[in-house]
Every structure is written in C-alpha cells, then in structure tokens.
Amino acid sequence: MGPTPRQPLTGQTNWTATQSSRLYGLDAWGQPYFSIGEQGHVMVRPQGERGGCLDLPFLVRDLQARNLSLPLLIRFDDILEDRLAKLHDAFACAITQYTYQGCYQGVFPVKCHQQRHVLEHVVRVGRRWNFGLEAGSKAELLIALALLDDPDALLICNGYKDTRYLETAILARRLGRRPLVVIEQPNEAHGLVACSRRLGMAPLMGVRAKLSAQGSGRWGSSSGDGAKFGLSVPDLLATVNTLRDGGLLEELRLLHMHIGSQISDIAVLKEALQEMGQLYVELVALGAPMGYLDVGGGLGVDYDGSCTATAASTNYSLQNYANDVVATIQECCQTQGVPMPTLVSESGRAIASHFSVLVFDVLSTGRVNGVVPPRQEGEPLLVRNLRELLTIITPHNLQEAWHDAVKFKDDALSAFRLGYLSLIDRAKAEQLYWACCRTIAHHLGHQPIPADLQPITAALAATYYANLSIFRSAPDTWAIDQLFPLMPIHRLHEPPQALGAFADLTCDSDGKLNRFIDSGTHKPLLELHHLQPPDPYWMGLFLAGAYQEIMGNLHNLFGRTNAVHIRLEPRGGYQVEQVARGNTTADVLTALDHDPQSLVERLRRDSEAAIVAGNLTIPDAHRLIAHVEESLRQSTYLEPDIRFS
Ligand SMILES: *Cc1c(COP(=O)(O)O)cnc(C)c1O
C-alpha cells in the first residue's frame, strides 16, 4: 500500500503540467520519450533526445479520423530503434572504458514480441550491429530463419528441441545462417550427435548452465538448482564428454545463462556473471573452442522510475548493466589468461517495452450516491441517527463521526436482513452514510489521513469504466500483478479532481486496474479528472510493449485491438507505416470454431418463423439481422455512437 491517497485535489487553480508530470511519475519513467507539453498533452519524442516531437492526443485524433477506433495500440518504430541503439551504445561505451578485448553482439528474443512488422523492423534496423534473433520453440525458429537474412547475425536456438528442430537448425547453416543450438537438457547432446552424423554436418553449439546463483523477484526461479532449464555442473561435464566422443567438441562455441526476467537487483546479476565467467574458463580448459558468452535476458525496465530494487523497478541503469557484464567477464578471463569472448545478450523486455502505447477511452464513471434524501415523517431511528450525525460533523470529531457512520450503516443492513427496515429506508440510510463520508472527507481536505480513516478514501473513489479488456491488453497486471505506468494523455494542465480505479469491459470481477505505480511501491487509486462529455477522456498505458500482446487472450471474446506503426518524418510530422486492424467479431467467433455465416442464417430462419407467427414485424426483423451482420464486421470493443453516457 502506498502513501495515503489524498483527497480529490479540488480548489487548486495554479496547477501546471510539471505537477502532473511529477504526480504520474512521468518525469522519472518517461525519459527520454514521453513528457507533457504546454497544452497539458503527452508529447512523444520517438527518437529520444535526437529528434522531433509528436503530440499524442492530436495523433490519436488523427488516427481516429482514419477510422482507427480505440482502444488503439500505437507502436513507435523509432523508439524501438532508439532502444536498440542505446543498448549497443552502452556496450560500446563499456568495452571502450574497460578496454575489453572482444565485442558485443546481441539477439532479440522472439518470444517477447512475435508480430511480423516488429520483428522485421528489429532485423532491419539491427543490421548495422549484426543484431540477431533468439528462438525458443520450433515455430519461433521458423520465423527467425526466414527473417534473419544477415549472415553475420547470430540465431540462438533455445527451448525444447525434437529431431526436426535440430535438423532444421543444422541445415540452416547451409543457407548461410549462423544458428547456435543451445543444449539445455542432458539428452539434447545425444540428439545433436545423431543428427549431425545423419546429415554429415554439425551445427554451432552452446550449453546453457544452470547457475547456483539464485535469481530474485518474480522470475527468480529461472536459475538455481530447481530451474526448469539448463545443465547442472555434472550434466555440463557429461555433455562435453558426449560431444567429444561424437567428434563435435570443435563446434561448442557458446555458454548461455538466463536467470529470469526483470532482474531488479544488480547484485544478483553480478553473482551470476562471476559464476558464468568461471564456467567459461573451465570449458575452454576442457578443450572447447568457445568464443561466445551469452548472458540471456533479464535486463530490467524501470516501470515506476524509482531506481530501486523493487519489482517494478531496477537499481541499475542500462550503462551499469553493460559495465558489469563487461567488467566481470573481463576480470575472469584476464586472471585465467583466456581470450575474451564475444558478449551476447538476449534482452527482450528492455528493448520492446517502451515503443508501444495503448490508448483507451473512458466510457463513463460510477461513484457512490451521496445525495441527501428529503426528510419524511415517521422515519426509523436508524435513519434519523444518520441524519443527525450528518449535521454535527466538524473538523474536530472526524474519527468519531466516521466510526458512528459505519456503525449506523451496518445496523441498517442487519435491520434490513431481519425484515425491520424497508427497501426505501435502507436506500436512505445508504445515501446518508455516503453523505457523511463525503462531509468527513471534505473536512480532511489535504491533510494526511489518519490510518483508521483511510478506508473512506477508497469508499468514495470513483470507478472509471474503460473501453478495453485487461486480459487482452495488459494480462500481466492480472496474472502476476505487474505494474505499468498509466495516466491521462491530455488535460494535464488541469488539476485532477477525483481518485479512481478502472473497470474493464469484461464480465470478470478480476477485469480491473487498481494498482498504480507509486515510486517504489504502489497505490490503489489514481488521480483522475471528471469526465466532460461529449469530450473524450483518454488514458495511456505505457511501457507495456513486451509480452502483453502475445499473452493477451480472448476472454469474453474481446479481440486484438487496432494497432498502427508510426514513424517520425525527417522534416517534421509522422508517417503511418503499417495499420493492423483489430479483430472483428467474426474473426474471434471463427477462432472458436463458430461459423459467422451459418450463425446469421440460423437467426434469419428464426426471424422468418417469428414473422409468420406474428411476433416480429418485417422492419424489426430487418433491423435485427442488420445489427448481427454489422456486429460481425465490427471490432469487438464498444462503438462510439452506441455508448451509454
Ligand atoms: C524470455 C527469455 C529471454 C528474454 O528475457 P527478457 O527479460 O525479456 O530480456 C531471453 N532469453 C531466454 C532464454 C528467455 O527465455
């Protein structure tokens, strides 16, 4: 639980964009891509410090004018490129600083974002560094084989491998690719020896070590003795022997580790790197040529900008990370007189998080009804008690008043259950209770809220109904309580007037967003603005470019959202590079083996029967079928013109 949420920030007239920036942490996590402009709009600098600026709400408006309705995923291809450049700059800088006698050559893990345009873009812009791909399954291998046409880029082959996977990887070498098959299970070495014999050629190979250094945080169990992947030291030795006996030791080139995603604490990484360095040196001593040391993924993202070793943050920068990898491995090799390897990393999250922004609209808000009901003759005592309480609340008796209010409300509920209170009187009791809460909250103003009065803020918070499915667009918020920065993308020069949390479109009580970043911790409510219909209220979910799209599911049949790729134009403005239309209702029905056409036919038959029976007029039948047919063609999300207000 974060610091005490404050009262709705009413009465502040001199609110500035800078205050919003601080409030939502944008000045910390948004650097260098996101900031707030004069008009209170989120501004995007897709090329970081180097290039121009786009006004996000204006961009959304223009995309909507192209019939790209919300929720809308905007992918800034320049940000992806800039992240790649920053990663390579950091390693180049570390290599120079420590005069490391080797180079860095990274790969992008396909599992982090499999979408074709994204991977094509990574391969295209990565070419200047011979940046490669990492595959973790047979399907990912096929993608990587087809897309990665740079003969000098690495194609790291991870995951479970059957014979077809192995043979495909081996044959890819003949295509001029550089597949490196990483042995992760003890029996894979035997498979490789057999396949190589059959094909008369060998692949380049690596071994994945199961490190004793225990990871930390959410993905900590990816290393340590109980890890799912990797070879223990005895298995590592057995593998070396198998390869030697099979005449393949000459092709053992890489040592691999992956200690889990989002490493928050750099100390954990350092310990793993030291162990890796020693293992590498030992493998060289055993006669393997080696040449590559792969530190896997895990490079974290500072989602809340707090620079701490907490789950949504990291206590290190990209440069710290590169420095530690370079320095630790150098020290190991130097001491042992072993040539320094090419350093490989498989950073997915750190490359792909920043470039996409999900924009969604708020449909309406729900808040408790605190209207005081008119007084009537003969009201029950409980109702009269609440009425009286409401008149005597002063800044000096807030705690007492709060406890009384809760007590009276609970008594009213009991009385209703036992049949002593009518529905109408229960409604009055609830309204009066809320009115008391509001009055107490009003008196609390902006002071720190005493612990036992904290529930009042949550009780008075508004629910913002959001046009999205978290199961589709931010599944990790639900599955593993991940935090992403979330904030309005406009009206940021106005003070927020309410505290709220979000409910999504699904009929699932888990379909909500009620944990928000709060500098090293999290808070249950977010500062928001009152809706001003018919003007829209647009929210942006940031830093969610990694993993969310593929993990997203069809819960309640909400399909893929519209997505666009935006590229900054050199002379200002932007170019819409790609449009990927979201799923239509017909798409998602088809995915579940329903046939949209026969569905329409069935309804048509039934409506004809209803017309004959005199239960349905022909115009109404026409209207029904038109709605069904149009729904099938439309997005699965709410359409702007038929929303409730
Ligand atoms: C998932 C995975 C990665 C990517 O991890 P990030 O934390 O996203 O950088 C890299 N390598 C392997 C083997 C993985 O399984």
Side-chain angles (χ1 to χ4, degrees):
M1 194 77 125
T4 310
R6 295 302 174 87
Q7 269 301 105
L9 304 160
T10 45
Q12 298 222 10
T13 47
N14 55 348
W15 187 263
T16 63
T18 316
Q19 278 163 289
S20 283
S21 184
R22 213 168 302 138
L23 175 65
Y24 297 113
L26 184 71
D27 48 357
W29 58 259
Q31 294 292 343
Y33 306 115
F34 307 104
S35 60
I36 302 178
E38 288 291 306
Q39 294 182 60
H41 289 183
V42 168
M43 308 297 285
V44 187
R45 283 188 184 280
Q47 298 171 339
E49 308 85 348
R50 297 175 292 120
C53 203
L54 296 174
D55 181 306
L56 186 57
F58 285 169
L59 176 62
V60 171
R61 186 199 59 193
D62 291 354
L63 292 169
Q64 279 195 321
R66 291 172 170 95
N67 196 24
L68 287 160
S69 56
L70 304 184
L72 178 61
L73 197 59
I74 306 177
R75 302 196 187 110
F76 294 98
D77 287 346
D78 298 285
I79 294 188
L80 195 58
E81 181 172 353
D82 193 70
R83 288 299 297 171
L84 269 179
K86 284 196 162 54
L87 178 69
H88 285 90
D89 286 352
F91 271 98
C93 192
I95 283 170
T96 308
Q97 188 190 332
Y98 293 94
T99 54
Y100 184 84
Q101 275 131 31
C103 56
Y104 167 76
Q105 195 180 0
V107 294
F108 180 75
V110 173
K111 92 161 184 271
C112 190
H113 207 311
Q114 297 90 338
Q115 212 269 339
R116 176 164 65 91
H117 304 302
V118 172
L119 289 175
E120 282 175 350
H121 184 59
V122 166
V123 169
R124 192 168 51 242
V125 301
R127 212 181 168 95
R128 74 183 92 134
W129 304 287
N130 301 124
F131 193 68
L133 294 174
E134 182 263 0
S137 67
K138 210 164 12 178
E140 289 183 359
L141 174 67
L142 299 189
I143 295 176
L145 273 181
L147 293 189
L148 196 60
D149 53 357
D150 174 358
D152 294 317
L154 300 176
L155 198 174
I156 307 273
C157 306
N158 284 328
Y160 288 100
K161 304 167 196 75
D162 58 13
T163 304
R164 200 182 301 282
Y165 183 127
L166 292 175
E167 290 205 358
T168 307
I170 295 172
L171 290 167
R173 220 175 152 182
R174 287 257 190 259
L175 283 184
R177 307 286 199 267
R178 287 226 284 165
L180 258 152
V181 179
V182 178
I183 301 170
E184 308 199 6
Q185 309 284 343
N187 61 356
E188 281 175 6
H190 296 287
L192 270 173
V193 170
C195 289
S196 303
R197 268 205 196 119
R198 206 156 41 236
L199 296 174
M201 62 188 295
L204 298 172
M205 288 176 302
V207 278
R208 175 164 174 175
K210 189 184 280 187
L211 299 182
S212 68
Q214 188 74 52
S216 74
R218 180 66 189 65
W219 290 271
S221 60
S222 305
S223 72
D225 292 339
K228 179 168 160 189
F229 295 109
L231 303 171
S232 63
V233 170
D235 286 342
L236 207 57
L237 289 174
T239 299
V240 168
N241 286 334
T242 307
L243 296 182
R244 183 182 285 120
D245 294 347
L248 290 184
L249 193 58
E250 263 313 292
E251 307 296 349
L252 181 54
R253 304 295 171 85
L254 175 141
L255 175 63
H256 182 281
M257 76 170 194
H258 176 66
I259 59 168
S261 206
Q262 183 68 10
I263 301 170
S264 289
D265 188 352
I266 190 120
V268 171
L269 176 77
K270 257 190 206 169
E271 201 180 310
L273 286 171
Q274 283 170 341
E275 195 175 345
M276 279 290 277
Q278 295 307 330
L279 287 174
Y280 183 86
V281 166
E282 296 284 350
L283 285 169
V284 172
L286 287 171
M290 302 308 286
Y292 295 96
L293 188 145
D294 183 345
V295 299
L299 175 53
V301 168
D302 195 356
Y303 292 101
D304 68 7
S306 69
C307 305
T308 56
T310 50
S313 185
T314 58
N315 66 354
Y316 57 91
S317 67
L318 183 52
Q319 191 62 59
N320 296 151
Y321 177 87
N323 288 354
D324 270 10
V325 172
V326 168
T328 313
I329 301 307
Q330 179 187 43
E331 196 185 318
C332 242
C333 292
Q334 218 158 33
T335 321
Q336 312 282 335
V338 165
M340 292 175 202
T342 295
L343 297 168
V344 181
S345 79
E346 306 172 345
S347 308
R349 183 184 300 276
I351 290 173
S353 287
H354 301 71
F355 85 115
S356 77
V357 178
L358 179 80
V359 178
F360 62 89
D361 48 331
V362 173
L363 303 165
S364 64
T365 60
R367 46 177 58 251
V368 295
N369 179 353
V371 178
V372 180
R375 186 189 302 272
Q376 281 168 330
E377 280 303 305
E379 285 179 338
L381 180 64
L382 273 169
V383 174
R384 278 183 282 141
N385 283 345
L386 277 159
R387 269 195 204 286
E388 189 187 335
L389 177 61
L390 186 59
T391 61
I392 58 162
I393 299 173
T394 71
H396 309 291
N397 64 1
L398 297 180
Q399 253 154 309
E400 195 187 332
W402 162 246
H403 293 138
D404 284 352
V406 171
K407 171 88 173 55
F408 291 147
K409 185 199 67 170
D410 289 348
D411 287 352
L413 278 182
S414 306
F416 177 75
R417 270 198 299 269
L418 297 172
Y420 299 127
L421 198 70
S422 71
L423 190 67
I424 289 172
D425 286 328
R426 177 179 161 182
K428 278 187 191 168
E430 285 187 21
Q431 280 175 296
L432 287 163
Y433 164 75
W434 292 121
C436 290
C437 290
R438 271 184 200 282
T439 308
I440 295 168
H442 175 75
H443 285 306
L444 283 168
H446 296 293
Q447 309 152 23
I449 300 178
D452 59 340
L453 282 181
Q454 285 192 6
I456 211 171
T457 326
L460 287 172
T463 301
Y464 280 63
Y465 295 98
N467 190 19
L468 93 160
S469 156
I470 62 138
F471 301 97
R472 161 56 60 189
S473 296
D476 280 346
T477 61
W478 162 68
I480 56 172
D481 282 344
Q482 188 169 342
L483 296 170
F484 296 106
L486 176 66
M487 61 180 282
I489 63 166
H490 57 159
R491 298 180 61 187
L492 295 164
H493 56 332
E494 295 174 36
Q497 302 103 2
L499 287 171
F502 296 86
D504 79 356
L505 288 179
T506 66
C507 304
D508 190 316
S509 53
D510 278 350
K512 60 193 176 193
L513 291 168
N514 59 1
R515 296 169 82 254
F516 305 100
I517 58 160
D518 191 16
S519 187
T521 165
H522 59 87
K523 54 188 179 184
L525 298 168
L526 189 66
E527 293 80 355
L528 294 163
H529 302 86
H530 289 318
L531 298 195
Q532 293 176 338
D535 293 344
Y537 191 49
W538 287 336
M539 301 295 303
L541 182 77
F542 295 84
L543 308 189
Y547 299 110
Q548 301 315 294
E549 282 188 61
I550 197 64
M551 303 288 281
N553 61 50
L554 282 171
H555 192 19
N556 255 173
L557 300 190
F558 289 103
R560 275 208 324 252
T561 68
N562 286 323
V564 289
H565 287 250
I566 299 293
R567 192 90 170 147
L568 211 56
E569 276 290 293
R571 271 174 270 114
Y574 63 90
Q575 177 82 35
V576 180
E577 292 259 298
Q578 288 283 347
V579 171
R581 292 259 164 212
N583 292 141
T584 63
T585 303
D587 291 339
V588 301
L589 292 185
T590 308
L592 278 302
D593 296 337
H594 297 281
D595 176 18
Q597 230 30 61
S598 56
L599 188 147
V600 174
E601 261 327 295
R602 234 186 255 195
L603 290 173
R604 202 190 304 280
R605 256 198 327 266
D606 289 353
S607 64
E608 288 303 330
I611 292 170
V612 171
N615 295 332
L616 188 67
T617 64
I618 292 177
D620 279 350
H622 171 70
R623 197 183 180 87
L624 173 65
I625 298 300
H627 276 319
V628 172
E629 287 180 329
E630 194 50 32
S631 294
L632 287 169
R633 275 193 292 273
Q634 292 288 340
S635 133
T636 51
Y637 295 90
L638 261 57
E639 296 170 54
D641 53 340
I642 52 172
R643 281 173 196 171
F644 46 97
S645 61

